[in-house]
Amino acid sequence: MDEYVLRSNGPDTTYLANINIFFPVVFSLEIFKNGWPEDKLGSQSVLQNEVDWYRQMFESGRTGNRLHIAARKSARENLSGRIQKILRYASVMADENDVKALLNSGVVTYKTKKKARRTARQVQS
């Protein structure tokens, strides 16, 4: 099974920029328009509300208020979980054009199962 991930590592500004690209692409997918399970993944308004909540907590957390920073962290974790569910669903149910659209967005990447070795393997003789 293919696995896709959103480039979500990095500072909050990068994450916010990536979700600002990701969600319009998701909303334009054919699978979103036709066969979207709103009860499990959320409707467009629910997803947009989560993005808006994260954006509000991001702006509030810039002042240094610890409560807002904790709320921003919580909102980011919730949003990341929702995005992972969306990507898992898309990898299983989406057609080729939808997957290409996600990958062409630049913020979704294909996760390979193999990890690259960073050091040379010792040859035993």
Side-chain angles (χ1 to χ4, degrees), residues 2-111:
D2 297 335
E3 189 172 348
Y4 302 101
V5 292
L6 177 76
R7 286 191 289 151
S8 61
N9 51 352
D12 287 323
T13 54
T14 304
Y15 183 74
L16 188 60
N18 287 344
I19 62 171
N20 284 338
I21 294 170
F22 175 74
F23 279 107
V25 171
V26 168
F27 297 150
S28 68
L29 296 178
E30 190 67 32
I31 193 171
F32 186 81
K33 295 175 183 174
N34 293 332
W36 195 254
E38 292 182 358
D39 56 331
K40 294 179 182 167
L41 298 176
S43 63
Q44 182 172 357
S45 62
V46 169
L47 296 173
Q48 194 62 47
N49 286 339
E50 283 197 27
V51 172
D52 292 340
W53 176 250
Y54 175 71
R55 187 174 295 120
Q56 288 174 355
M57 291 302 103
F58 171 74
E59 293 295 330
S60 300
R62 292 175 61 188
T63 61
N65 185 339
R66 291 178 188 229
L67 293 175
H68 289 141
I69 292 172
R72 177 180 66 199
K73 182 179 177 185
S74 174
R76 182 172 174 163
E77 288 173 359
N78 291 339
L79 193 56
S80 293
R82 180 75 62 130
I83 289 170
Q84 283 307 108
K85 286 181 185 178
I86 290 169
L87 289 174
R88 268 189 241 118
Y89 179 77
S91 69
V92 173
M93 300 301 287
D95 64 350
E96 210 173 293
N97 293 331
D98 289 344
V99 172
K100 282 182 184 178
L102 283 171
L103 292 174
N104 288 339
S105 69
V107 296
V108 176
T109 57
Y110 178 73
K111 183 178 179 182

